[in-house]
Amino acid sequence: MLPVVLALLVFGALPASAAPVPAPETVCRITDSRLDELSGLASDGERWYAINDGGTQVQVFVLDRSCRVQQVRTDPADPYDVEDLARAADGTLWLSDTGDNRHQRSTVALLELKPSGGPAVLHRLTYPDGAHDGEALLLDRSGVPYLVTKDVLGDAKVYRPAGPLTTPGPTSLEQVGTLRVHSTDTPGGPIGAFGSVLVTGGATSADGTVVALRTYTDAYLYPAPDGDVAAALRRDPVRIPLPDEKQGEAIAFDPDGTLLSASEGTGQPVRALRNAAALVSPQSPGSPSAGAESGADSGAAQDNGGVPILPAAGIAVAVVLAGWFLLSRLRRR
């Protein structure tokens, strides 16, 4: 009840529903108890690749299309808090070790697993402006990684490496954008309506022309006709409700444009929205949305009916404190 009250105090009236889109359909349920904290998902069209949140070693679960675990790829590297997973065009798997709920890490990291095998390759990264908690990883069509932060007020920041990745690094990150996530009335998530503004995962379509971010309750699809992720996140997205997911953090595209979503918790479903990428209307390169401004600290995204988060200072402080209290229940190491 508390999260709902907070949402009403801060966000005002609940927003209108998203533009009509088909509802995601359950494909199968993940019942393997080893995969009970599913946080990242990727697809090659035949198999799905999944990771747990956190962990003390690298583990990538390879699933068939009926949610059965066929293989577990492991590496002895001990990550701090893995949060997302992406698959590059050459089959390389990228694990985003970027979780930092307490904002205390001096570096975050990406772990690279080559399709040919071998040990994980470590790339440490540093933010230019202090620690951030991040749960979303995006790869552009050339393989450049983008990190999107999880912010309790919905102002997510977008970063990418300022130069080529080094091993083990660190490589400096640069901020290339900020986007505003709006509250919605989609039910689900572990902390009620408050969770509708928290970015928990990301994905890019196989051809790089659609970028997806998700919260605990909704997915947002952005047009990227030229493959430019930073520019895409300054455009108007299509909002796709993902209702009633227990703790929705995983999102991915099949190569055919089907959008996949999944949640933490044993027995939770993998759901699919067929031809989701086709719901995004192409926009010409360099054309941000009508309400968006250019620059690293603008680019506010609209969500087809969401209410802008513009709290007064006192309410903002209260929400931050309440948000951290609620999120403390979800903290990893």
Side-chain angles (χ1 to χ4, degrees), residues 12 23 34 37 53 88 143 147 167 177-178 251 291 314:
R34 295 173 295 174
E37 294 189 16
D53 194 340
L147 304 180
T167 304
T178 299
I251 192 168

Side-chain angles (χ1 to χ4, degrees), residues 1 4 59 73 79 94 147-148 207 294-295 310:
M1 184 65 183
V4 175
Q59 286 187 309
R73 185 171 176 183
W94 291 84
L147 304 180
V148 183
D207 62 3
S294 61
L310 297 173

Side-chain angles (χ1 to χ4, degrees), residues 108-139:
V108 293
L110 295 174
L111 291 160
E112 183 183 2
L113 292 177
K114 298 290 189 181
S116 57
V121 180
L122 174 66
H123 305 283
R124 297 193 185 280
L125 306 165
T126 56
Y127 289 105
D129 54 351
H132 294 279
D133 183 28
E135 296 193 5
L137 170 65
L138 302 167
L139 293 181

Side-chain angles (χ1 to χ4, degrees), residues 134-315:
E135 296 193 5
L137 170 65
L138 302 167
L139 293 181
D140 71 12
R141 60 173 52 157
S142 64
V144 174
Y146 289 73
L147 304 180
V148 183
T149 63
K150 181 182 183 182
D151 191 281
V152 295
L153 290 180
D155 286 320
K157 295 179 175 63
V158 185
Y159 297 88
R160 71 183 174 203
L165 292 176
T166 55
T167 304
T171 301
S172 297
L173 293 166
E174 60 181 356
Q175 186 179 348
V176 295
T178 299
L179 64 98
R180 176 67 56 86
V181 183
H182 300 253
S183 64
T184 75
D185 58 358
T186 306
I191 51 177
F194 188 79
S196 69
V197 304
L198 301 175
V199 176
T200 61
T204 309
S205 64
D207 62 3
T209 63
V210 181
V211 173
L213 292 175
R214 71 160 299 160
T215 66
Y216 285 121
T217 59
D218 300 88
Y220 298 88
L221 306 188
Y222 299 82
D226 58 351
D228 188 331
V229 170
L233 296 177
R234 291 194 292 267
R235 299 188 175 107
D236 286 338
V238 173
R239 178 167 70 92
I240 298 175
L242 303 172
D244 303 319
E245 291 194 358
K246 181 179 179 180
Q247 188 167 329
E249 298 188 8
I251 192 168
F253 281 104
D254 273 334
D256 66 359
T258 295
L259 185 71
L260 305 168
S261 74
S263 168
E264 289 195 12
T266 303
Q268 295 300 304
V270 173
R271 297 194 293 182
L273 181 59
R274 312 294 178 186
N275 300 316
L279 298 172
V280 178
S281 298
Q283 293 178 321
S284 61
S287 300
S289 62
E293 302 173 4
S294 61
D297 294 321
S298 57
Q302 305 297 318
D303 72 353
N304 298 331
V307 177
I309 302 175
L310 297 173
I315 295 178

Side-chain angles (χ1 to χ4, degrees), residues 100 104-108 125-127 131 170:
D100 189 12
Q104 63 185 13
R105 299 178 64 174
S106 59
T107 65
V108 293
L125 306 165
T126 56
Y127 289 105

